[in-house]
Each structure stands twice: as C-alpha cells, then as structure tokens.
Amino acid sequence: MSEIDELIKQIEELRLNLINTKEGRAYTDPVVVTASQELDEVLNRYQELLMEKAVPTNA
C-alpha cells in the first residue's frame, strides 16, 4: 500500500473519531480539539505529498 493510500485510510479513521468525539461536546472541549489537531496533521501530510507529486523534480 502506498503512503498516500495509508494516509487516506488514516484520514478516514481520524475523521470518524472526530465525529464520535464531538458528540455531546463543545467544539472547544480539549478532547475535541486534540482529535481535530490529529486529523489536521495527517491532512497536512497528505496535502504535502500531493503537492510533491504534482511538481516535477529537476534532477
């Protein structure tokens, strides 16, 4: 499985975790904020990989 595929799987898992964590809590609840930050980190890495693949590398 490629790194991008692994990140997509992880994004989906973290997204579902955030939805479940948010249930019954405020958006500012520290548990919700932490879950959101974990998702943000993986989304940022995913975006970086997509940008690396889109930009041709001069060797």
Side-chain angles (χ1 to χ4, degrees):
M1 184 180 291
S2 73
E3 186 175 1
I4 289 181
D5 291 335
E6 289 176 20
L7 286 173
I8 291 170
K9 182 179 176 186
Q10 193 174 4
I11 288 166
E12 182 61 20
E13 290 170 358
L14 290 170
R15 187 184 70 79
L16 291 173
N17 179 58
L18 178 58
I19 290 167
N20 292 331
T21 300
K22 169 57 181 100
E23 197 168 310
R25 293 186 168 102
Y27 285 108
T28 56
D29 185 299
V31 176
V32 176
V33 172
T34 298
S36 178
Q37 289 172 336
E38 290 173 355
L39 176 57
D40 286 345
E41 288 176 19
V42 177
L43 286 168
N44 287 339
R45 180 64 188 137
Y46 176 75
Q47 182 66 32
E48 288 171 4
L49 280 178
L50 291 181
M51 289 174 61
E52 286 173 12
K53 290 188 178 287
V55 177
T57 306
N58 294 335

